[in-house]
Amino acid sequence: MSKIILQVEDLHSFFFTRRGVVKAVDGVSFYVREGETFGLVGESACGKTVTALSILRLLPEPAGRIVEGKVILDGTNLLELDKEEMRKYRGRIISMILQDPMTSLNPVYTIGDQIGEAMRLHQGLQGEMVEQEVISALRLLNIPSPETLLRQYPFQLSGGMRQRVAGAIAMSCHPRLLIADEPTTALDATIQAQYMALFKDIQKKTNVAIIYITHDFGVIAQMCHRVAVMYAGKIVETATTREIFKTPKHPYTSALMNSVPRLDHKDERLYSIKGQPPSLRDLPPGCRFFPRCPVAEDICRQQEPAEKEITEGHFVSCWKVK
């Protein structure tokens, strides 16, 4: 098996607000191997993006703070680095495709300037060398006519093309770990399929490790080797993608999968999970999913379940799983 490149251990990231402490990430642990795509899946506001921003140490300060845990990248705990040392990692060793390319690209700079910024900063390139590397980065993302596109501005590009440019920026310095935060959300089905195929092709060429954040189990099935299911700031189940689809153990995982429309089922009404996720400022005692769980028992209301390994590499936090 390939070596572990990233190890996240007992990560706690909170937001300290006037109304109370928001426990956005509350004890998250996982690892990612070289050349692997690791999926983080769950409903909106479950902590996926905050987990990614915590790894990069980009939480909005002063409200957002990492209060506990370790983020070990290639043997280095990123949480122990000072700000200057951390800047050397961002973009060069670890990079992120932000969720919305429509707003993450700067409208007053050309595509070439925005992709070349990381190359100038981390690789010390200047002038024509930057332009050639920018063209290479655009070609890696299968962007046509890169010599012309690098002189254009974001408003001149379609949504799908902007999404590829965001990917080119993230890959410009050939990072070892790439975080993709719902990179296909704004794309139609055809372009989405092309973009995911492009990710797989890039991974084969570069052996980059990918953390793929999504709320779509259909995307997980196509993209990921392993997957962690998040709910209310915690990971409730982790396994290989094959194992998750074959034998989901946590009731929340099963509910998410049942929410995906299927062409071989003619249901009059699509399945939905009843209720709403709990407030991260006022979490219920016991299991966080029990107010919405169809199989909850008394112990679920009283004690939080510990994580247990039911088969090799398959971890679940649920009282119903023996």
Side-chain angles (χ1 to χ4, degrees), residues 49-293:
T49 298
V50 176
T51 298
L53 294 177
S54 299
I55 293 171
L56 284 159
R57 287 180 52 187
L58 288 175
L59 289 179
E61 296 177 342
R65 293 179 227 161
I66 300 171
V67 299
E68 189 179 343
K70 295 180 180 179
V71 178
I72 301 171
L73 181 66
D74 274 343
T76 300
N77 186 0
L78 300 183
L79 304 187
E80 294 179 348
L81 302 178
D82 61 34
K83 291 185 177 181
E84 283 300 320
E85 290 173 325
M86 190 62 209
R87 286 194 187 101
K88 297 176 183 178
Y89 277 79
R90 293 192 203 105
R92 184 171 64 91
I93 297 175
I94 179 171
S95 193
M96 183 172 179
I97 300 176
L98 298 172
Q99 192 165 357
D100 185 5
M102 305 298 179
T103 57
S104 62
L105 296 178
N106 193 319
V108 301
Y109 288 98
T110 65
I111 300 303
D113 285 337
Q114 295 186 61
I115 298 176
E117 181 180 8
M119 297 173 180
R120 287 187 287 269
L121 177 64
H122 294 299
Q123 299 176 348
L125 301 181
Q126 297 294 331
E128 189 174 333
M129 292 181 67
V130 175
E131 183 171 316
Q132 293 304 315
E133 287 297 318
V134 169
I135 291 172
S136 296
L138 292 171
R139 283 179 177 155
L140 182 65
L141 273 291
N142 291 343
I143 295 176
S145 304
E147 296 85 357
T148 302
L149 185 134
L150 63 84
R151 292 177 174 81
Q152 294 181 321
Y153 291 85
F155 72 88
Q156 296 175 281
L157 308 181
S158 66
M161 196 63 72
R162 279 188 245 188
Q163 189 74 68
R164 294 195 180 202
V165 168
I169 292 173
M171 294 297 296
S172 60
C173 291
H174 310 289
R176 301 196 62 208
L177 175 66
L178 174 66
I179 301 174
D181 188 2
E182 300 191 32
T184 60
T185 300
L187 306 180
D188 60 55
T190 303
I191 302 301
Q192 184 183 72
Q194 293 176 0
Y195 198 67
M196 289 191 293
L198 186 59
F199 262 101
K200 291 182 179 180
D201 185 50
I202 290 172
Q203 192 173 52
K204 288 179 182 178
K205 293 177 180 177
T206 64
N207 202 37
V208 63
I210 299 174
I211 297 176
Y212 200 102
I213 297 173
T214 182
H215 55 260
D216 188 343
F217 257 105
V219 172
I220 290 292
Q222 295 181 56
M223 287 295 301
C224 300
H225 300 94
R226 291 186 304 116
V227 57
V229 181
M230 286 194 73
Y231 184 77
K234 282 188 172 291
I235 291 178
V236 297
E237 185 166 7
T238 307
T240 64
T241 303
R242 182 185 295 274
E243 187 79 7
I244 283 281
F245 276 86
K246 184 180 178 181
T247 54
K249 295 298 183 181
H250 198 282
Y252 179 61
T253 306
S254 300
L256 280 180
M257 295 177 68
N258 290 335
S259 300
V260 179
R262 295 180 54 177
L263 296 178
D264 58 341
H265 283 213
K266 294 185 178 180
D267 299 320
E268 292 185 4
R269 187 178 181 86
L270 294 176
Y271 177 85
S272 63
I273 305 173
K274 295 181 180 179
Q276 296 292 328
S279 168
L280 298 179
R281 285 189 290 107
D282 186 21
L283 292 165
C287 175
R288 298 180 182 189
F289 187 59
F290 90 80
R292 309 171 72 189
C293 182

